């Protein structure tokens, strides 16, 4: 697989993840407390792919590295919010577990990319 093919696949993967995060967020309880977590989760979960897309269209290697590190940080933050939601038992476990696995996989991918730069 070429770097271009990998980049395209990863962009699609982060879009699917963002959509799953939005769907999960919208299914959370409608309480004052959950609104805070919903907002944080949605922002970080959708930011992963947005920053990766920007990285792929960066103007310099330094800009690319910066956007990759932001994607990495957002993946870590997303897993943090998912863990809190899991601990609070606000949602059914199977879908939440799937999203935590995907967040960790994205985190590993972006860590690997960042370490190679």
């Amino acid at each position: 697989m070429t770097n271009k093919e990998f980049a395209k696949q990863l962009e699609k993967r982060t879009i699917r993840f963002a959509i799953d995060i939005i769907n999960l967020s919208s299914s959370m309880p409608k309480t004052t407390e959950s609104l805070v977590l919903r907002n944080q989760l949605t922002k970080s979960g959708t930011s992963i792919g947005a920053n990766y897309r920007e990285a792929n269209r960066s103007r310099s290697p330094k800009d690319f590295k910066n956007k990759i590190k932001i994607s990495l940080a957002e993946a870590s933050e997303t897993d943090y919010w998912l863990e809190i939601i899991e601990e609070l038992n606000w949602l059914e476990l199977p879908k939440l577990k799937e999203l935590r696995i995907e967040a960790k996989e994205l985190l590993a991918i972006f860590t690997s990319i960042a370490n190679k730069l």
Side-chain angles (χ1 to χ4, degrees):
M1 174 183 312
T2 67
N3 284 345
K4 210 170 217 174
E5 291 169 333
F6 175 81
K8 188 174 270 195
Q9 280 187 345
L10 187 54
E11 278 190 15
K12 287 181 181 179
R13 185 173 176 176
T14 59
I15 288 170
R16 281 191 308 274
F17 183 72
I19 291 167
D20 287 344
I21 287 292
I22 292 166
N23 287 331
L24 182 86
S25 292
S26 67
S27 70
M28 287 175 56
K30 311 293 187 243
T31 65
T32 304
E33 296 79 15
S34 73
L35 288 176
V36 173
L37 270 72
R38 288 171 59 186
N39 186 42
Q40 294 287 4
L41 176 64
T42 302
K43 285 169 50 176
S44 65
T46 57
S47 181
I48 299 166
N51 280 288
Y52 182 59
R53 181 174 282 195
E54 285 185 36
N56 288 332
R57 289 147 183 83
S58 62
R59 291 176 259 205
S60 68
K62 184 178 178 182
D63 188 32
F64 179 80
K65 184 175 184 176
N66 182 51
K67 298 294 187 209
I68 290 297
K69 286 187 173 186
I70 293 170
S71 291
L72 189 159
E74 295 294 342
S76 178
E77 182 180 339
T78 300
D79 186 51
Y80 173 80
W81 297 121
L82 290 169
E83 183 176 353
I84 288 175
I85 293 164
E86 182 178 33
E87 291 292 323
L88 290 167
N89 295 311
W90 278 354
L91 297 170
E92 66 178 70
L93 227 41
K95 186 61 179 175
L96 193 55
K97 291 238 183 250
E98 286 175 31
L99 285 173
R100 289 209 59 208
I101 290 168
E102 182 65 358
K104 287 177 191 320
E105 288 180 8
L106 290 171
L107 178 59
I109 290 167
F110 288 112
T111 299
S112 177
I113 294 170
N115 288 340
K116 291 178 182 175
L117 298 175

